[in-house]
Amino acid sequence: MAIKQDYGRGCGLAVGLGVLGERWTMLVVRELLIGPARFTALLENMPGIGPNLLSERLRTLAEHGVVEQVAIPGDGRAQRYRLTELGEQLRQPLLALARWGLGFLREDDSGGTTRAEWGFLAVQSMVVREAVPEVDDTYQFEVGGQDFVIEVRDGDVRFARGASPEPDMTVSCDADTFIRVGARLTSPAEMIATGAVRVSGDLAAAGRCIRMLGLD
């Protein structure tokens, strides 16, 4: 399918905006970066988009090979949406945009609309590659009832949903606190002192994690 170029010709950014530049489209991709999802889950997690507009955005992304529908094993004809290999290539650019956007968050932006799953993306966007530890570490995050893990192995950083059996360090907090720390609206030390953030395990590993996330 030809890409409508509303922003000029001969420019990769303009062509990319022809696919992603319409309202809500990048937030649809954000949800699928967290993981595959049913239509109803996408609709629930993006209040205000409406079913017709969501259908249109998913159809456009599918026509350009960014998302696809796949069957849910053991659930009859039920299907969910997921990113294709092409869609996964958006992970690093959108994480970089998310990291940039954290700098614009203000106290008035925090509150009840924050979801725990956004912590999974926020922590990925916060990694400072130059500060990745030279030792192998496993960091467990329990954010708003959701678990995710950062593993550092041979200088490579990996992310996974779920809990680790033997983390070197564990952080527990609610989603709003996590985002506020990531946006530097408050410091890890301050939140630890108030009890809003709870840290257990190896303190040296905790220090390496803080530096890797650019929070020192």
Side-chain angles (χ1 to χ4, degrees):
M1 176 181 176
I3 297 174
K4 181 175 65 175
Q5 298 185 41
D6 295 329
Y7 305 104
R9 298 180 180 274
C11 170
L13 179 59
V15 175
L17 285 173
V19 179
L20 299 176
E22 293 185 307
R23 185 168 181 253
W24 291 102
T25 302
M26 283 195 282
L27 295 184
V28 173
V29 176
R30 176 199 67 190
E31 292 301 312
L32 297 179
L33 287 173
I34 295 170
R38 297 173 185 252
F39 183 91
T40 52
L42 292 171
L43 197 61
E44 180 181 349
N45 290 330
M46 293 187 293
I49 187 172
N52 291 338
L53 186 55
L54 177 58
S55 295
E56 180 182 330
R57 295 297 180 260
L58 287 167
R59 182 168 57 251
T60 298
L61 289 169
E63 288 173 348
H64 289 105
V66 177
V67 305
E68 62 185 354
Q69 282 185 283
V70 293
I72 300 176
D75 198 2
R77 294 186 295 174
Q79 298 207 329
R80 59 184 178 179
Y81 292 87
R82 71 179 180 190
L83 294 174
T84 63
E85 183 177 348
L86 180 64
E88 275 292 335
Q89 293 175 18
L90 289 167
R91 183 174 296 273
Q92 292 308 316
L94 290 190
L95 288 178
L97 180 58
R99 179 181 177 85
W100 183 75
L102 281 174
F104 291 91
L105 286 180
R106 299 294 179 263
E107 289 288 352
D108 291 345
D109 297 319
S110 60
T113 60
T114 302
R115 288 174 46 223
E117 290 87 348
W118 293 349
F120 182 56
L121 292 181
V123 77
Q124 295 180 53
S125 74
M126 291 160 58
V127 169
V128 179
R129 294 291 165 177
E130 295 79 8
V132 172
E134 296 180 358
V135 299
D136 290 352
D137 272 339
T138 300
Y139 312 128
Q140 172 78 38
F141 290 84
E142 300 169 355
V143 179
Q146 300 285 337
D147 294 328
F148 55 92
V149 173
I150 304 178
E151 288 187 336
V152 179
R153 296 290 183 270
D154 298 322
D156 185 35
V157 184
R158 306 166 191 169
F159 306 91
R161 298 290 293 271
S164 169
E166 296 183 354
D168 294 289
M169 182 275 300
T170 300
V171 173
S172 302
C173 63
D174 61 38
D176 182 56
T177 298
F178 188 87
I179 297 298
R180 290 181 68 241
V181 171
R184 292 172 176 77
L185 298 175
T186 187
S187 69
E190 182 179 351
M191 291 296 95
I192 291 171
T194 63
V197 173
R198 299 168 297 283
V199 179
S200 60
D202 184 358
L203 292 181
R208 291 191 291 270
C209 180
I210 288 172
R211 287 189 294 274
M212 187 180 74
L213 298 181
L215 297 173
D216 52 347

